[in-house]
Amino acid sequence: MSFLKLKMLDSAMLYFKKAQIYVNQRSARYADKKIFLAEAHGVILQNIGDTYYEQSDFKQAEALYLKSIATSKRDYRINPIAMQSEIRLARLYIETGKLKAGRQHLQNAEIMLQNNVLDPMSVDKGNFFLSKTKLNYFIRLGLQDSIKIQSKIFLKIQEKITAKEKLLFDADPGKKIFDLQKDYELDILKKQSQLNRLYLIISIILLAAAAVIVYLMYRYSQRSKQLNKKLNDLNRQVGEQNLNLQNALDVL
């Protein structure tokens, strides 16, 4: 699904087909879980159909959506895949100008939603995508009054889903743990930043001290050279005076 959302369609197709092979190979092992297998097959077919749809290969997408519906339709009351594929197929027909067929699949999806026993969030999301597709249908037909009514319905459902998701997110203990973890990580980062700042200050101080020591050593070296030069000059002068004195004594 991540590859599909990122529009990396070749990679998405590769992994969806790998998933299809995996489920097919293990179907016999779970023969007693037919509803589970039907949902797995249905969602994989739907995902492959979505990939073809994104590639603008509408013929292949249509065939996959129809297979997904056929695979999941028997258990649609507890399996949302057939309803989702009906809406996707309606969207495809509407966008390709087959409005009559699109309307028929919208009606099929409406019936499934009205008779389902899914969780409320799945119902809301189903109504959201159904409402969005119906809005596109009315836009295609240019029915202004229907567009206005459907737009209001669509926005109302969108607000309802947003409010529920926010409520669930705020009440989610996982989110609280995540927030605590982020606070902990932020605290560690702050402390690490403080330590790094301290290390930097210490490094600057040590560097400055080293520079002072080098400067003092240089000054001492220069002064030693000057003193040695003066001492050599004095020794030379004393030597010359001793020589002159010795010469004077020899004359006497």
Side-chain angles (χ1 to χ4, degrees):
M1 287 300 292
S2 297
F3 286 125
L4 182 58
K5 290 179 180 179
L6 292 170
K7 305 298 182 184
M8 298 172 66
L9 303 180
D10 291 338
S11 296
M13 185 68 77
L14 174 66
Y15 282 98
F16 288 146
K17 289 192 174 180
K18 281 186 176 182
Q20 189 176 39
I21 293 169
Y22 180 87
V23 172
N24 287 337
Q25 290 176 341
R26 286 158 179 77
S27 293
R29 187 184 301 177
Y30 303 103
D32 57 329
K33 298 180 179 179
K34 293 182 179 179
I35 293 176
F36 172 79
L37 287 172
E39 185 170 356
H41 283 295
V43 75
I44 292 170
L45 291 168
Q46 184 186 99
N47 288 335
I48 296 173
D50 287 344
T51 308
Y52 280 123
Y53 176 85
E54 291 296 333
Q55 292 174 334
S56 298
D57 190 343
F58 299 127
K59 186 175 181 180
Q60 289 279 17
E62 177 187 8
L64 269 297
Y65 289 146
L66 287 169
K67 284 183 181 179
S68 176
I69 293 167
T71 302
S72 310
K73 192 171 184 178
R74 185 181 62 180
D75 305 302
Y76 76 88
R77 286 171 59 83
I78 55 174
N79 182 353
I81 305 304
M83 176 265 296
Q84 293 170 3
S85 293
E86 288 279 7
I87 296 172
R88 283 166 163 77
L89 191 56
R91 176 190 61 180
L92 185 152
Y93 285 143
I94 291 165
E95 291 186 4
T96 55
K98 299 176 182 179
L99 301 182
K100 186 176 180 181
R103 180 59 185 167
Q104 179 59 55
H105 287 281
L106 283 176
Q107 290 174 346
N108 292 345
E110 285 182 298
I111 292 169
M112 289 181 178
L113 272 170
Q114 289 168 3
N115 293 281
N116 74 82
V117 288
L118 302 171
D119 62 278
M121 185 57 78
S122 294
V123 173
D124 289 339
K125 288 185 176 179
N127 277 317
F128 172 80
F129 290 114
L130 178 64
S131 179
K132 183 178 180 180
T133 307
K134 285 175 73 174
L135 180 58
N136 290 335
Y137 172 76
F138 292 133
I139 291 171
R140 282 275 184 169
L141 290 174
L143 302 176
Q144 296 301 321
D145 291 340
S146 296
I147 290 170
K148 290 178 182 177
I149 294 170
Q150 194 61 42
S151 295
K152 291 179 180 178
I153 294 171
F154 173 72
L155 291 173
K156 187 175 180 180
I157 294 171
Q158 189 178 39
E159 289 173 1
K160 182 180 178 182
I161 291 174
T162 302
K164 280 189 176 182
E165 287 181 343
K166 185 178 184 302
L167 186 64
L168 287 171
F169 190 67
D170 291 341
D172 185 8
K175 175 185 175 292
K176 293 180 180 179
I177 294 171
F178 177 77
D179 289 341
L180 288 172
Q181 183 179 356
K182 295 302 290 184
D183 290 341
Y184 173 71
E185 290 175 356
L186 184 61
D187 188 52
I188 289 176
L189 286 173
K190 286 180 178 178
K191 289 181 179 179
Q192 187 65 45
S193 178
Q194 291 172 353
L195 283 173
N196 289 339
R197 192 178 296 112
L198 180 61
Y199 292 151
L200 179 61
I201 292 169
I202 293 171
S203 298
I204 292 171
I205 292 170
L206 291 174
L207 185 61
V212 170
I213 291 169
V214 170
Y215 175 72
L216 291 174
M217 290 177 66
Y218 173 77
R219 286 289 304 274
Y220 176 77
S221 175
Q222 291 298 107
R223 289 186 64 185
S224 295
K225 287 180 181 180
Q226 291 174 358
L227 290 171
N228 287 334
K229 184 180 179 182
K230 288 180 180 181
L231 184 60
N232 289 332
D233 290 342
L234 288 172
N235 288 333
R236 181 176 52 79
Q237 291 174 7
V238 169
E240 288 177 353
Q241 289 175 0
N242 287 335
L243 182 59
N244 290 335
L245 182 60
Q246 185 65 42
N247 290 336
L249 290 173
D250 289 343
V251 172
L252 293 174

